Structure formats: C-alpha cells, structure tokens
Amino acid sequence: MVLAHRSAAGGILFELKSWARFILPSKYFAVFYPSSLSTVERMLNLTECGPKDTLFDLGAGDGRVLIAAAQRGAKAIGYELDAELVATARQAISQHPGAARLCQGDASTADVSSATIIALYLSDQGNTRLMKALQPSLRPGTKVVSNFFPIAGWDQHLLKTCFADPSTGPLHLYQVPKH
C-alpha cells in the first residue's frame, strides 16, 4: 500500500500538528505514527483474525490495519478523528472495494458491541481513556490488541505480550472479561 506523498516540509508540519494536538488539551489520544506492515501482520496473527471476525481499528490512521484485516476476510470498521488521515485512508480503501468501512469521528463514542477484535495504537493514557469509555459496549471474549502501549488496569485480562520484533516494540493481547 502506498500512502499519499508528502514533501519533507509537509511531513514535518503534519508531525508538528499531530504532536500539538496530543500535547495541548484536545480530543486526540495519540500522535499519528503508522504501524509498519510487518507489525500489522503480527497484530492480525496474534488475534488470529479471519473471516469470522469483525475488527474495529480505533484510531485507524491511514487505514492499513483495516485493509489487511479485510484481505483476511474480516469485516473491518475504523474510526479516525483527523480529516487528512480519513481522506488518505479512504483513498487507500477505495483501491479495495467493499474491504472496509471508515467513520470520521470520535472512537470513544463507537458502538463496538459487534467487535470480535479491537486494534489500538494510541498511547498509555489514550488506551486507558478509550477502553473506559467503551466499557458498556464491550462484548465478553472480544480480543483487544495494542501496538506498543499497554492498557492500564487491564493486567488481569492480558493474554500475551509479544516481543517478536524488537525494532517495533511489543504487542499486547487482552481479552474482554465476562461482566
């Protein structure tokens, strides 16, 4: 998958904007850094993502997790706040008709009750705040995979931490408990 081309100056400005939204009071939970394609594959392998699954990518960024999950036959639904990232993701998704659905909006308001897998790459605080907001709609047994950042308060629900690729950091696999 090829992402929209950015000039060096455009890339720096995009990163500065991303950091400013994260540091200053705002609705953003994280700075955008795309997961490598190998990390996306590791996340999907760890969750055993396949045709029986409905994957929600919360903070979908450029859509790469959605596309990869859909290519495995999963129903893929993403939420992203940033309009520029939504446009980039929709363009990428359009190359794979019917593969995924992307909503521009706040992931903390998503109804994830149909999710069998939730994918995250936010921040420590972002993961914790988001999962607390989603608690009422989380279905027991749903797998939650987080790239790099753990979910505070979920230690008892941790199934596995995978360090298979030290260049990209750990993956944390959790399972939503019975209520």
Side-chain angles (χ1 to χ4, degrees), residues 17 19 23 27 50 66 73 84 89 91 98-99 119 122 128 133-135 143 176:
K17 179 178 83 170
W19 270 101
I23 293 170
K27 58 189 172 187
L66 298 174
E84 188 176 341
Q91 182 174 355
L122 298 173
T128 303
L134 296 175
Q135 192 67 39
K143 296 175 186 175
V176 176

Side-chain angles (χ1 to χ4, degrees), residues 46-49 52-55 112-119 131 134-145 154 156-159 173-179:
L46 190 59
T47 60
E48 300 175 338
C49 181
K52 66 183 182 338
D53 290 305
T54 299
L55 178 139
V112 295
S113 60
S114 64
T116 58
I117 299 170
I118 295 175
M131 295 311 288
L134 296 175
Q135 192 67 39
S137 68
L138 291 172
R139 183 171 63 179
T142 299
K143 296 175 186 175
V144 179
V145 62
W154 277 57
Q156 69 275 25
H157 312 306
L158 181 67
L159 299 177
L173 178 63
Y174 300 88
Q175 190 166 38
V176 176
K178 293 180 179 172
H179 298 293

